[in-house]
Amino acid sequence: MKLWKLTYELSSEFSAPVVRHHYTLRCLPRDSFSQKVHSCKCKVFPSSESTKEKDSFGNHMLIGCCPLPHDRFVVEMSATVIRECRPEPEPLSSWRLGMYRTVTPWTAMGPELTEFYETMESGLDPDPWKRTGELMEALFGVFRYESGSTVFDTTAEQAFAQRKGVCQDYAHILLTLCRHGGLTARYVAGVIPGEGETHAWIEVLSDSFWKGFDPTNNRETNEEYICLAVGRDAHDCVLNKGIFLGNAGQSQHVHVKMEEI
């Protein structure tokens, strides 16, 4: 068991004032069997009324609107989280788990991934977690991390075809392979120790428990991983989503820090 301090800072700059800025934030850590949120504060500038809700995946959301003109939007979240290294029990009914076996536009098999899977299909272990580990290791051997080589809408097949990408691509590819093999798997957006950006990995269900796998680092997750949001793919786990009125360009910067206390 470890106690972590987590900070998430987002700053959006607009080239001209905007109004009626509606936002949905999923940067708040979630309580679960292996993760307990001890404290959590979130500030938004310009100040606005907001409400806390949960989406259909159980992720915490902060929803609000900045109605007055502004050229800067800032989110500051700080939290302390207790994290244990143990599988996560699944409380959902079996029929709702079908959403984590569904192919999405970003996790569809293409010719490159199909050929890759077929070369090792006969030798894969039938156990869901062992099979995931084997798929993860195989992916790690042929795929490399390269910042800026993909964009948010890059599909698993597109990333794999060029054999390079970022953590989102690693997660999407492993999700695609797992689901193609009949496994129940979900995308996780979260944070690992250090400073920089958020991270992504996957979780696979076996005997009503989830276990995490980090394909970017070729390892199972442990008490050094804090979950912020889960979903079918990265598009269910967008940590900051919004819409505004105004003829303005936008630049955005995110800084995350996680340290043990």
Side-chain angles (χ1 to χ4, degrees):
M1 183 174 68
K2 292 188 176 183
L3 178 62
W4 300 98
K5 180 181 179 181
L6 169 65
T7 57
Y8 174 95
E9 298 175 355
L10 175 141
S11 177
S12 292
E13 307 285 343
F14 302 98
S15 58
V18 301
V19 297
R20 294 174 63 184
H21 183 170
H22 294 265
Y23 59 86
T24 300
L25 306 175
R26 288 184 176 85
C27 57
L28 311 176
R30 47 186 278 160
D31 270 313
S32 67
F33 180 71
S34 59
Q35 178 174 296
K36 302 299 181 184
V37 180
H38 185 263
S39 66
C40 183
K41 296 180 181 179
C42 190
K43 298 180 181 179
V44 176
F45 175 84
S47 59
S48 62
E49 292 187 3
S50 60
T51 59
K52 290 184 178 180
E53 299 182 17
K54 285 188 177 182
D55 65 15
S56 57
F57 303 99
N59 303 315
H60 294 298
M61 299 187 298
L62 188 66
I63 301 173
C65 177
C66 301
L68 300 178
H70 59 281
D71 57 13
R72 189 166 182 252
F73 177 71
V74 178
V75 177
E76 297 178 348
M77 188 280 296
S78 61
T80 54
V81 180
I82 299 171
R83 181 72 165 87
E84 296 186 64
C85 183
R86 51 182 177 174
E88 186 76 23
E90 173 51 59
L92 295 180
S93 56
S94 59
W95 67 269
R96 290 188 63 190
L97 289 174
M99 63 184 174
Y100 295 126
R101 293 187 290 270
T102 302
V103 174
T104 71
W106 296 274
T107 60
M109 293 287 283
E112 293 277 349
L113 280 171
T114 298
E115 182 180 359
F116 179 67
Y117 185 88
E118 288 178 349
T119 60
M120 54 183 162
E121 182 176 12
S122 61
L124 291 173
D125 196 293
D127 178 81
W129 290 344
K130 291 181 180 179
R131 173 178 294 200
T132 303
E134 292 169 348
L135 292 170
M136 178 173 66
E137 186 172 0
L139 172 61
F140 190 78
V142 300
F143 200 79
R144 76 176 191 273
Y145 187 97
E146 185 174 315
S147 180
S149 60
T150 56
V151 296
F152 184 66
D153 280 333
T154 299
T155 67
E157 174 69 12
Q158 290 169 338
F160 186 76
Q162 66 180 17
R163 300 299 194 273
K164 59 185 177 181
V166 296
C167 60
Q168 173 181 295
D169 304 301
Y170 276 91
H172 276 169
I173 293 169
L174 188 55
L175 275 180
T176 302
L177 295 171
C178 286
R179 289 174 182 164
H180 183 71
L183 303 183
T184 302
R186 65 186 182 184
Y187 185 97
V188 185
V191 185
I192 57 177
E195 292 188 63
E197 301 179 342
T198 54
H199 192 48
W201 58 93
I202 77 164
E203 291 179 337
V204 173
L205 189 71
S206 178
D207 294 329
S208 299
F209 284 88
W210 294 101
K211 180 184 281 289
F213 297 83
D214 178 3
T216 306
N217 295 300
N218 193 29
R219 66 177 186 178
E220 296 181 4
T221 62
N222 53 29
E223 68 274 14
E224 296 183 345
Y225 288 73
I226 292 180
C227 170
L228 298 178
V230 302
R232 295 164 298 179
D233 56 41
H235 290 71
D236 291 330
C237 303
V238 179
L239 301 186
N240 170 47
K241 182 181 290 185
I243 187 171
F244 55 82
L245 293 180
N247 185 16
Q250 180 183 9
S251 60
Q252 183 172 284
H253 176 72
V254 174
H255 181 262
V256 178
K257 183 177 181 180
M258 176 176 161
E259 56 185 341
E260 188 175 4
I261 54 177

